Amino acid sequence: MANARDIQLDALRAVAVTLVLYAHFLAPGGSSFLGHLGVRLFFVLSGFLITRLLLEARDAAQFEAGPALRSFYARRVIRIFPPYFAVLALVWFTDLEQSRSSLAWHALYLSNFWYALRNDWNPWLLCHFWSLSIEEQFYLAWPLIVLLAPRRRIEAITVGVICFSLAYRFYWPIAADPALARDLLPPASMDALGCGALLAVRRARGADVPQWMRLGWPVFVAVFLLVVWSDPGPANTAWEWPRWLLVQVLPLVPLTAVVAACSNGLGGALGRLAELPPLLGLGRISYGVYLCHPILLAYAVKAQPWIPLNVSEQGPGRFVVAGTATLIAASLSWAFFEKPLNGLKRYFPYVARRRAPGEADWTSQAAGALDLQRTEARR
């Protein structure tokens, strides 16, 4: 990803992970709608980038579904598994919060089902793995659709996925009580992943986000903020379910519009801001930051007697100490672990160039032509 548009997507990753850090380290109560927005932004980015890669592979002249699928899964394993299982191994070794009993679920990328079935965020230090499980479940199914479904049907399938996710959200107010399952089961996140995928599909046919989305996203932002800051009222009021639905659905339009703008490349002051080296550096290590930040917070809380700042409660002390430890750990992981392993991706191209039968190597052809020219010149 060497061009301006993709560099600015790194800046969006930095923004997303900063929102998550704010929610877990600094926000009152240990949660904030900003953390939720950060995760949703990650989902839109993932849906867009994965679908774009798969469509570019499919549109190549030498495309074959089997090799492309194998390369996709191999590259995902190289990028995602090593740091993920390294963190799990650390948690197993130290057994923070008696978390060993749930590690099998996390190792199988079923964290979202673990917390949904128990309707409880225990153990807390691994609760952020629910979103990583959602993405992995998406990676298992979505490439099969993009690479194997009829090309002309992919956009309709993507719209169908988004509509199914929205229908799932309307199902809960009618048939179920509020529970973690409504937010943690896969359909609850397919709308954000699907919006990113739909953007990539439209780009592949030469279109972009619709004009109403490009011009109207500030209205969605304003309505979203009004809903978030409104009084939720007591539980089981008539406003509870509509408020939840609006908080989930309204950000989809602004998030998709922002991803579209940055993937095209912002100009002017915003473009220069989105390409600041510290922001891009944070975006590159954002996976490691997201992976280890609650685990390092748990260590910091245990070490509170030796830390002069208050890390046991939400606030500036926790943000400075746990945030700094997280950035250092993620930077070291990227430099000495993740980045070297990423070099292995070159052995798994999505589309390998095949030589036609009887086609000579181009270097041999060039050498033969050069010899012929020299012979003619001598004559």
Side-chain angles (χ1 to χ4, degrees):
M1 302 202 305
N3 52 41
R5 59 176 187 172
D6 288 320
I7 287 176
Q8 292 182 6
L9 294 183
D10 263 344
L12 287 186
R13 291 188 183 94
V15 170
V17 81
T18 300
L19 295 177
V20 173
L21 291 180
Y22 166 80
H24 289 168
F25 291 168
L26 193 58
S31 63
S32 167
F33 75 92
L34 293 176
H36 170 76
L37 282 182
V39 173
R40 300 282 274 176
L41 178 54
F42 272 128
F43 284 155
V44 176
L45 277 168
S46 294
F48 172 69
L49 290 170
I50 291 303
T51 306
R52 188 179 71 178
L53 282 171
L54 294 170
L55 289 176
E56 287 175 352
R58 179 162 184 165
D59 292 341
Q62 304 298 337
F63 166 74
E64 290 184 11
L69 279 172
R70 287 194 296 271
S71 292
F72 174 83
Y73 292 126
R75 293 165 72 94
R76 290 294 90 196
V77 166
I78 290 170
R79 178 66 187 101
I80 293 173
F81 280 20
Y84 182 85
F85 285 101
V87 168
L88 283 184
L90 178 64
V91 172
W92 178 88
F93 183 75
T94 56
D95 196 24
L96 286 172
E97 297 185 12
Q98 292 78 48
S99 53
R100 285 181 182 170
S101 60
S102 67
L103 286 186
W105 289 75
H106 302 299
L108 294 172
Y109 283 96
L110 295 173
S111 305
N112 55 328
F113 286 95
W114 166 268
Y115 293 110
L117 288 171
R118 283 151 187 78
N119 198 31
D120 181 60
W121 289 117
N122 185 40
W124 180 85
L125 81 164
L126 294 176
C127 66
H128 63 302
F129 278 18
W130 76 268
S131 61
L132 301 177
S133 296
I134 289 284
E135 291 212 9
E136 195 65 23
Q137 292 154 19
F138 175 73
Y139 294 155
L140 286 176
W142 191 244
L144 298 174
I145 295 174
V146 177
L147 296 180
L148 300 179
R151 184 69 173 80
R152 65 184 182 281
R153 302 293 185 192
I154 294 177
E155 184 166 353
I157 293 172
T158 307
V159 173
V161 168
I162 297 171
C163 291
F164 171 73
S165 181
L166 296 177
Y168 168 86
R169 295 197 184 284
F170 283 96
Y171 156 82
W172 278 96
I174 298 172
D177 294 326
L180 290 181
R182 71 179 187 181
D183 296 315
L184 300 187
L185 295 182
S189 300
M190 290 301 111
D191 50 2
L193 289 161
C195 283
L198 184 59
L199 174 61
V201 174
R202 290 177 60 88
R203 287 277 177 83
R205 64 174 176 84
D208 208 331
V209 293
Q211 186 174 6
W212 65 267
M213 182 179 292
R214 188 168 57 255
L215 299 178
W217 67 265
V219 176
F220 285 83
V221 171
V223 176
F224 171 76
L225 293 175
L226 287 174
V227 172
V228 168
W229 291 332
S230 68
D231 183 6
N236 300 319
T237 60
W239 176 233
E240 180 182 10
W241 282 111
R243 185 176 186 273
W244 171 74
L245 284 168
L246 291 171
V247 168
Q248 297 295 322
V249 175
L250 285 173
L252 292 174
V253 170
L255 293 179
T256 305
V258 168
V259 171
C262 289
S263 64
N264 282 327
L266 292 171
L270 282 178
R272 291 190 294 273
L273 177 64
E275 295 174 20
L276 289 175
L279 202 60
L280 299 181
L282 179 56
R284 280 191 295 271
I285 65 171
S286 59
Y287 179 50
V289 171
Y290 189 82
L291 263 180
C292 66
H293 76 278
I295 290 91
L296 293 176
L297 173 59
Y299 283 121
V301 171
K302 289 178 71 69
Q304 178 64 85
W306 297 277
I307 299 176
L309 298 176
N310 181 12
V311 297
S312 299
E313 299 176 351
Q314 294 285 103
R318 172 175 286 191
F319 187 80
V320 170
V321 173
T324 301
T326 298
L327 292 178
I328 292 173
S331 299
L332 293 174
S333 173
W334 171 255
F336 298 107
F337 189 40
E338 298 172 60
K339 187 178 180 181
L341 286 173
N342 280 347
L344 298 176
K345 289 181 179 180
R346 67 181 182 273
Y347 297 111
F348 301 96
Y350 285 105
V351 178
R353 182 184 181 276
R354 294 181 301 175
R355 194 176 301 153
E359 178 187 358
D361 183 82
W362 70 270
T363 55
S364 300
Q365 290 180 346
L370 184 58
D371 288 342
L372 181 60
Q373 290 172 1
R374 288 173 178 167
T375 301
E376 292 296 329
R378 285 196 298 271
R379 289 177 181 174

